[in-house]
Amino acid sequence: MSQIKIHTDSVEQIRGLVRHNSEKLSTAKTSLQSTTHQIDSRILVRNNISGRLQAAHSSLGKITKQMHELESFLKRSANY
């Protein structure tokens, strides 16, 4: 029967990278929202800019959530 070896140091290192990138995504999401509020409403209606910015904001939110879930999974995995 074969064994699976998990290098917990590597898992912890990767978890740190995931956490760092997750924080960067959260910052990007906040910055996008802030920038959107600073744009003149007449500009936002052109070519559905407002809708596209909202879609980007939503996508960043989903990716950020997935990164948090990945970090949580890595943390639990390293503990096992």
Side-chain angles (χ1 to χ4, degrees):
M1 180 174 235
S2 56
Q3 292 183 341
I4 298 174
K5 289 188 177 186
I6 298 175
H7 300 280
T8 55
D9 292 340
S10 297
V11 173
E12 283 297 322
Q13 184 180 20
I14 291 169
R15 187 173 77 93
L17 292 171
V18 169
R19 184 181 333 111
H20 175 72
N21 287 320
S22 178
E23 290 167 1
K24 287 172 72 173
L25 281 169
S26 292
T27 301
K29 182 180 168 195
T30 302
S31 295
L32 177 62
Q33 189 69 24
S34 175
T35 301
T36 301
H37 288 304
Q38 294 174 11
I39 298 173
D40 188 283
S41 61
R42 292 173 293 179
I43 294 172
L44 288 173
V45 295
R46 293 182 192 164
N47 297 323
N48 193 29
I49 292 172
S50 178
R52 289 195 268 166
L53 288 172
Q54 184 58 37
H57 184 266
S58 177
S59 293
L60 281 171
K62 289 176 185 176
I63 294 168
T64 302
K65 182 180 182 236
Q66 290 173 339
M67 293 291 280
H68 284 296
E69 290 171 355
L70 177 59
E71 180 192 352
S72 178
F73 171 76
L74 290 170
K75 183 178 181 179
R76 286 190 315 268
S77 298
N79 289 336
Y80 286 122

